[in-house]
């Protein structure tokens, strides 16, 4: 009898051990896989069981949470949604998250390990802390000026602090209210279809996810390459550029928007935007040195994050000499995001050093304790300091006596460059209007702001599109506010 009891006890122990092993397998080894299973709604229910942390602009939350008392309890809400949509993105129970809502999801949902009281705390108890706060670098006044300046026209504006890389404004137009996508109702699905089917693509973040031919605004990069490579040693000396200039290996004549470009100096070419001079200089610099120069400005960088992903600004690595000439004036396959062109202006303003751009100043716990801060760090050395000094002078000349005069601010030093970028089949599309600039108070030790504006309004008269006419006034208003110390 005792023998049978022992056998039964042994079998029970084996079964108990098997049960414990299986429990460990289910709760530890297979936990992530089971949580990711679409048939398992528990993670989704847990995700929306508590209010989401907030995104803050200028000391004020621009997001919130609404208690629906449904199974997925809390929905995201937005204050001034269209104004800040290019910053926040959306957080939807049906369609997921984008932009800061995605990049900082761990903090906002309370699952970031840094929010836990002890290291590895979340791994052991699998609990959620209250959602933390994401404090952005955006200045509300600059954001509002940019948004109002575009006035619903298609385009984008980026402003940043040249010395630190802090992004002060990030606007895309036309915009949308991300709050209409927050829930999981039939109305949300209808809004999703409407927004995705809209001709003007309001959900496209034109500031960091859309690239455009930069046109003549790119000439600042070509000028930096020419000065660094010593192809030009005296910006005020006449060049050997003919007018008309025939693209190398072709019979195509490159036109100029103004007269006086024959054998014009680099200074005159920047001031009045001579295509022929800049194309010729790009050819003389050569493809290898041009690639090195554009790379130092951030072109062709696939890893740029702010922390949201930024589309790649392109300068072809392989091209013929005539294509290089066109690329050197911001045409052919050269494309750039508005953020990239703001970085071009910032590099000049900051003595050639390019600070890494960032949108999140710090993250905190729900109670306000700082969890993480974004440090200032160098992104690239875009050009030699002497080159930056020369380009500052040339960009100031373009504003004081050239195509950028509508950006001039009394009592301030302003440097800028206009751009009119052709696009479309046979360049038949309405040209994009660009303006990049920086501004400094005469008594300040460094510039206050660098700005890039692009307007792609297809409603405008083709003959009236120009960076100086369409984009420069928006940049001017933003620079004035920045010089006043906007907050």
């Amino acid at each position: 009898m005792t023998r049978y009891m022992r056998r039964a006890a042994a079998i029970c122990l084996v079964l108990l051990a098997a049960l414990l092993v299986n429990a460990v397998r289910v709760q530890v080894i297979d936990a992530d896989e089971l949580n990711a299973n679409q048939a398992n709604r528990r993670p989704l229910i847990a995700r929306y069981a508590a209010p989401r942390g907030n995104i803050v602009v200028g000391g004020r939350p621009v997001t919130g949470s609404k208690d629906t008392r449904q199974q997925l309890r809390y929905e995201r809400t937005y204050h001034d949604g269209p104004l800040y949509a290019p910053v926040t993105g959306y957080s939807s129970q049906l369609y997921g998250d984008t932009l800061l809502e995605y990049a900082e999801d761990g903090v906002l949902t309370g699952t970031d390990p840094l929010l836990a009281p002890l290291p590895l705390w979340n791994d052991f108890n699998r609990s959620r802390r209250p959602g933390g706060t994401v404090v952005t670098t955006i200045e509300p006044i600059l954001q509002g000026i940019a948004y109002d300046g575009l006035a619903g026209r298609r385009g984008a504006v980026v402003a940043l602090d040249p010395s630190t890389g802090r992004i002060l404004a990030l606007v895309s137009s036309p915009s949308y209210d991300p709050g209409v996508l927050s829930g999981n109702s039939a109305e949300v699905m209808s809004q999703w279809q409407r927004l995705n089917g809209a001709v003007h693509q309001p959900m496209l973040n034109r500031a960091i996810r859309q690239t455009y031919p930069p046109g003549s605004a790119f000439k600042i990069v070509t000028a930096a390459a020419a000065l660094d490579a010593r192809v030009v040693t005296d910006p005020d000396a006449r060049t050997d550029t003919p007018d008309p200039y025939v693209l190398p290996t072709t019979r195509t004549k490159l036109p100029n928007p103004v007269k006086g470009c024959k054998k014009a100096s680099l200074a005159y070419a920047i001031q009045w935007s001579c295509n022929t001079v800049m194309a010729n200089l790009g050819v003389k610099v050569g493809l290898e040195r041009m690639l090195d120069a554009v790379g130092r400005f951030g072109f062709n960088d696939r890893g740029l994050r702010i922390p949201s992903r930024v589309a790649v600004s392109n300068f072809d690595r392989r091209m013929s000499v005539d294509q290089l000439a066109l690329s050197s004036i911001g045409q052919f396959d050269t494309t750039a995001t508005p953020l990239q062109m703001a970085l071009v202006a910032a590099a000049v303003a900051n003595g050639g050093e390019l600070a890494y751009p960032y949108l999140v100043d710090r993250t905190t716990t729900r109670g306000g304790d700082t969890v993480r801060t974004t440090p200032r760090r160098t992104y690239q050395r875009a050009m030699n300091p002497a080159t930056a000094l020369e380009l500052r002078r040339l960009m100031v000349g373009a504003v004081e006596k050239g195509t950028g005069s509508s950006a001039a601010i009394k009592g301030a030093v302003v440097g800028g460059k206009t751009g009119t970028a052709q696009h479309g089949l046979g360049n038949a599309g309405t040209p994009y209007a660009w303006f990049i600039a920086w501004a400094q108070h005469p008594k300040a030790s460094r510039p206050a702001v660098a700005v890039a504006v692009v307007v792609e309004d297809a409603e405008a008269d083709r003959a009236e599109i120009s960076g100086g006419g369409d984009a420069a006034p928006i940049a001017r208003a933003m620079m004035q506010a920045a010089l006043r110390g906007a907050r």
Side-chain angles (χ1 to χ4, degrees), residues 7 52 60 63 112 137 184 202 228 239 245 327 344 394 454 478 486:
R7 288 178 180 176
R52 190 172 174 86
R60 181 178 72 93
T63 59
D112 190 314
T137 59
N184 54 47
D228 271 356
T239 64
Y245 175 76
S327 296
V344 170
L394 300 187
V454 62
M478 295 182 69

Side-chain angles (χ1 to χ4, degrees), residues 10 22 30 35 66 92 108 148 184 250 260 287 327 341 360 370 404 454-455:
N22 188 61
D30 293 343
N35 279 334
K66 178 177 69 175
S92 171
L108 296 170
D148 293 341
N184 54 47
T250 75
L287 180 57
S327 296
M341 295 311 295
V360 175
T370 298
V454 62
V455 180

Side-chain angles (χ1 to χ4, degrees), residues 173-225:
S173 178
S175 190
Y176 72 103
D177 182 1
V180 301
L181 302 176
S182 294
N184 54 47
S185 65
E187 175 62 21
V188 170
M189 290 187 280
S190 175
Q191 291 289 346
W192 175 263
Q193 293 172 354
R194 177 185 66 83
L195 290 170
N196 279 283
V199 174
H200 295 324
Q201 298 179 283
M203 293 176 69
L204 173 63
N205 191 330
R206 290 172 163 86
I208 62 172
R209 296 283 173 84
Q210 177 70 2
T211 59
Y212 303 88
S216 293
F218 185 81
K219 291 172 182 175
I220 297 301
V221 179
T222 301

Side-chain angles (χ1 to χ4, degrees), residues 242-377:
D243 187 9
Y245 175 76
V246 179
L247 295 178
T249 72
T250 75
R251 296 181 180 179
T252 303
K253 295 180 180 179
L254 186 65
N256 281 307
V258 295
K259 296 181 179 180
C261 291
K262 183 178 181 179
K263 296 186 177 180
S265 66
L266 175 60
Y268 187 91
I270 294 296
Q271 181 178 337
W272 294 106
S273 205
C274 295
N275 290 331
T276 53
V277 173
M278 303 311 299
N280 187 32
L281 289 178
V283 170
K284 288 186 174 182
V285 171
L287 180 57
E288 184 176 345
R289 290 189 293 189
M290 279 297 295
L291 280 171
D292 179 60
V294 301
R296 285 185 272 114
F297 277 95
F299 282 81
N300 297 332
D301 182 358
R302 298 185 177 277
L304 183 60
R305 302 287 187 273
I306 61 169
S308 303
R309 178 184 60 83
V310 179
V312 179
S313 296
N314 179 71
F315 191 88
D316 280 0
R317 299 181 184 278
R318 304 175 74 175
M319 63 180 102
S320 60
V321 67
D322 58 309
Q323 294 168 344
L324 175 59
L326 291 174
S327 296
S328 299
I329 58 171
Q331 296 289 167
F332 186 54
D333 286 340
T334 301
T335 57
T337 62
L339 173 61
Q340 174 62 70
M341 295 311 295
L343 291 174
V344 170
V348 175
N350 198 42
E353 182 195 14
L354 198 53
Y356 200 98
Y358 63 98
L359 187 56
V360 175
D361 180 67
R362 66 187 185 277
T363 56
T364 73
T365 64
R366 178 68 61 87
D369 295 329
T370 298
V371 171
R372 182 192 302 117
T373 59
T374 303
R376 190 263 186 216
R377 58 192 175 109

